[in-house]
Amino acid sequence: PPSIYSSIADYIITCGVRWWRDWCKTGESVKPSKRAIERGIEYKFHAMMVHLSLNKLHQEIIREIVQDSWPEVIRQFGNFNIEDDDESNIFSSRWKLQVERTTYFRKSSYLPFSEIKYFMMKCIEITTEPIYNHRNNSPYCYYEQRPWIYLLNSSDDGMELNYSETVDWQVRAKKSLIIVGGNILSRGLTINGLSVTLFGRTSGEEMMDTVLQRGRWFGHKMKEADLISIHLQDESKEIFRQ
């Protein structure tokens, strides 16, 4: 569905804005390297969640779909020129929405794309780094087929998000990451820097406590409200609204 492309574009844009703001706070004139962003505490985590099915086999297929959709989004990012009003480029409409959100929530439309673009590019680089298998002892190796999207579910082969600074950097959660999963994403799992959520299934039979837990998807830090983007079906929107 088109929402996969839109949500990926939102993920890249909001990450660029987040890290650009972090960089501005440092007062440095030179932009950080990829390694500096990955290891520096100045730069916050950023995440996107894809929740389309509770079926574990479906989740593996969904991860493949998201990974297969990624190159087209990156192609459009490479062709995006902020000076052109190219409606066929997905970044044209998503960037306009970002400016609108920032203007509404922060009372300022100042978003220098020429500077933010650098951090969007670093987001792309870090996101697509293959994931190390945390079950292997050092030296760590990548998962089979070198996936770069986290797959979180309750199965024995599920991945984990580890934000501890005491673990080896190879098995620590990436600074920018995409997660595909099922029920575990609705049960109080902490995802640092969650900004973009693609919730593609219906929710007519939901329990109230589960809906309340999912309410955190909409952001709970007002200063970051303009970085939140949720893609839902109309039925789900109404349930959350109620």
Side-chain angles (χ1 to χ4, degrees):
S3 57
I4 288 184
Y5 299 97
S6 298
S7 58
I8 293 175
D10 285 347
Y11 163 76
I12 295 172
I13 291 172
T14 52
C15 187
V17 174
R18 183 192 296 278
W19 287 349
W20 168 72
R21 289 173 179 168
D22 292 340
W23 173 66
C24 290
K25 292 178 183 178
T26 66
E28 298 177 356
S29 58
V30 179
K31 293 183 177 64
S33 64
K34 171 176 168 286
R35 180 182 176 87
I37 294 175
E38 289 178 313
R39 307 291 177 85
I41 61 174
E42 303 89 350
Y43 298 94
K44 300 175 184 176
F45 285 94
H46 188 77
M48 169 182 167
M49 179 176 70
V50 181
H51 186 41
L52 303 183
S53 173
L54 298 178
N55 186 293
K56 295 176 184 177
L57 294 178
H58 291 175
Q59 292 160 23
E60 295 180 4
I61 297 173
I62 292 166
R63 179 170 64 177
E64 293 179 7
I65 291 174
V66 176
Q67 290 190 159
D68 290 344
S69 302
W70 180 267
E72 172 59 21
V73 178
I74 302 307
R75 184 190 68 80
Q76 294 198 39
F77 171 68
N79 294 333
F80 176 56
N81 186 340
I82 196 172
E83 303 298 332
D84 299 334
D85 193 14
D86 183 6
E87 296 184 357
S88 65
N89 190 305
I90 194 170
F91 280 89
S92 180
S93 60
R94 305 318 295 183
W95 178 258
K96 288 178 182 178
L97 285 174
Q98 180 61 54
V99 173
E100 290 175 4
R101 288 199 302 266
T102 299
T103 302
Y104 180 84
F105 286 109
R106 298 176 69 95
K107 312 304 179 185
S108 172
S109 61
Y110 180 63
L111 290 173
F113 181 78
S114 59
E115 293 189 354
I116 294 173
K117 182 179 180 180
Y118 175 85
F119 293 97
M120 293 167 66
M121 294 169 61
K122 294 305 171 187
C123 171
I124 294 170
E125 292 180 29
I126 295 174
T127 300
T128 52
E129 286 285 338
I131 300 170
Y132 283 98
N133 190 335
H134 68 281
R135 293 181 177 85
N136 295 333
N137 294 324
S138 182
Y140 297 100
C141 61
Y142 297 122
Y143 281 94
E144 187 178 354
Q145 298 181 345
R146 299 167 65 93
W148 49 267
I149 292 179
Y150 287 81
L151 184 62
L152 300 184
N153 53 40
S154 56
S155 66
D156 293 337
D157 58 350
M159 297 177 176
E160 72 169 8
L161 287 181
N162 194 330
Y163 296 103
S164 174
E165 295 184 2
T166 61
V167 300
D168 295 334
W169 66 267
Q170 292 95 331
V171 293
R172 196 177 305 155
K174 294 187 290 186
K175 267 296 173 69
S176 57
L177 55 86
I178 298 177
I179 301 164
V180 171
N183 269 337
I184 193 171
L185 299 181
S186 308
R187 303 292 168 79
L189 175 70
T190 297
I191 302 175
N192 289 1
L194 178 61
S195 289
V196 179
T197 297
L198 174 58
F199 184 80
R201 64 185 187 84
T202 58
S203 53
E205 302 293 330
E206 298 290 3
M207 300 297 290
M208 180 55 67
D209 59 340
T210 302
V211 174
L212 289 175
Q213 286 179 325
R214 288 176 178 158
R216 289 171 63 86
W217 295 350
F218 295 88
H220 59 283
K221 296 179 180 179
M222 197 61 196
K223 62 182 180 180
E224 297 180 356
D226 67 318
L227 301 181
I228 304 300
S229 173
I230 318 289
H231 299 258
L232 298 166
Q233 294 184 26
D234 289 341
E235 178 188 26
S236 299
K237 287 181 183 179
E238 184 59 28
I239 289 176
F240 278 112
R241 189 175 289 120
Q242 293 176 3

